[in-house]
Amino acid sequence: MRQVDTLIIGGGIAGLSAAARLARHGETVVLEAESQPGYHASGRSVTFCHFGLGDGLVKALTAVSRETFAAPISEGETPVAHRHPALHIARADQAAEVDALEKVHRALSPDYHRLSGKEAAKIVPLRTGGEAATAFALLDPNGFKLDPHAMLQRHIAALREAGGTLVTDARATAIRRDGGRWVVDTMDESYATTRLINAAGAWADQVAAMAGVAPIGIEPRRRTVISFNGPGDTDVSAWPFTKTIGEGFYFLPEGTDRLLASPQDETVSEPCDASPEEIDIATIAWRIEEATTMTVPRIAHRWAGLRSFAPDERPVVGYDPDAPGFFWLAGQGGFGLQTSPALSLAAEALAMELEWPENLKRGGIGMQDLEPKRLRERRSA
Ligand SMILES: Cc1cc2nc3c(=O)[nH]c(=O)nc-3n(C[C@H](O)[C@H](O)[C@H](O)COP(=O)(O)OP(=O)(O)OC[C@H]3O[C@@H](n4cnc5c(N)ncnc54)[C@H](O)[C@@H]3O)c2cc1C
């Protein structure tokens, strides 16, 4: 039996970004069920950092994290974020939503500005006539395209540098309470710890159930992505991440001639190795062709991943009020990469009972906004 200070279940962005910080406080081990880190949600994301999703708390976590992405890096370090514009587009009947969003977004990023549909269509080939036409847009020049691989590798390097370990092919198969410690079994080894971090993404409730801890109601929802060639010889690399306000689609460049696109599907799923459904692929192709002058003649790649949500669609970070030493780091929805700098900082402060970080305070983010207690109270109310 190996005794460690902190044991983390899940080698995605949540588990690894927290591990990089927690390893500085004591021996830390991350268990990842798959043969490589980031195999599930974290490796299937389109990893764009923008303000077009989530409530005020998620936007605040994004704003705090964006400071990290914008910070200069040291010489020789691989950049994890590249500045890239974001364009939020809307139809004529969504004028009120655009007004409301403009206010919220400008408070977070003063460079946000409004464009007419015709102005937006000069940047990307949007239709400006017909029912699906773009009538308004909000452009944020300060979005970021993130590199998930570089992010994961940076955290793994920091974990190792602090003496911690990532163990792959190490599925936690049984968890029990034993004399004030959590004991976790994998095929090859058993671990004992007083601090068990549940960063199992779509499997977070299943991991809790294995430990005899009441589930929180984490709901995995499938999201589909396709890639296809952009129009003709056009270099699409500078096109903004373009997303409809509300339901619809998004697309963004992948290199100079390819685009990635999603119908923003949210089909509830069991935790699994998600794969795309034909209906979602057909929907995205149809929506792109309806709202832009592009055609989607051939789909080069397709994939799907699970985004996991708590009942209030806010992340869950903190000790379970009814299970000593059992720490939740779950419910990162569709914003787990772009909020990981802020969420890992919050996880460190809550797990180690440190003073609440200044930049989270400044962002108006309170620990009670994140702690699982709020969901237990909601259930019993
Ligand atoms: C298509 C798509 C697009 C997205 N786009 C964006 C975006 O643009 N920006 C953004 O910020 N976010 C985006 N997201 C969301 C983001 O990917 C997630 O919020 C984030 O990856 C969640 O990270 P995680 O570590 O919680 O989960 P995961 O990456 O799924 O990691 C959880 C890990 O736990 C492991 N695990 C589970 N059970 C066990 C066990 N018993 N023992 C050991 N290990 C276990 C799993 O194998 C898995 O690797 C997108 C997601 C998808 C699917």
Side-chain angles (χ1 to χ4, degrees), residues 120-136:
K122 286 188 185 148
I123 308 173
V124 280
L126 299 164
R127 286 190 198 280
T128 49
E131 252 179 49
T134 296
F136 314 101

Side-chain angles (χ1 to χ4, degrees), residues 302-320:
R302 60 193 71 193
W303 72 86
L306 299 178
R307 300 150 86 242
S308 300
F309 292 86
D312 59 3
E313 303 202 343
R314 292 177 151 199
V316 190
V317 187
Y319 286 107
D320 191 292

Side-chain angles (χ1 to χ4, degrees), residues 9-15 31-34 36-50 53 146 170-173 199-203 207 210 221-225 241 250 262 303-308 329-339:
I9 299 181
I13 191 66
L31 301 179
E32 169 51 50
E34 305 290 351
Q36 67 197 67
Y39 177 82
H40 289 288
S42 302
R44 302 178 190 207
S45 152
V46 302
T47 49
F48 200 85
C49 175
H50 62 101
L53 80 180
L146 307 176
R171 182 178 299 280
T173 51
W203 291 264
V207 163
M210 219 192 294
R221 300 179 197 162
R222 190 180 64 241
R223 174 142 297 185
T224 308
V225 180
F241 168 80
Y250 62 69
S262 171
W303 72 86
L306 299 178
R307 300 150 86 242
S308 300
L329 182 51
Q332 286 86 346
F335 43 80
L337 286 131
Q338 70 182 49
T339 57

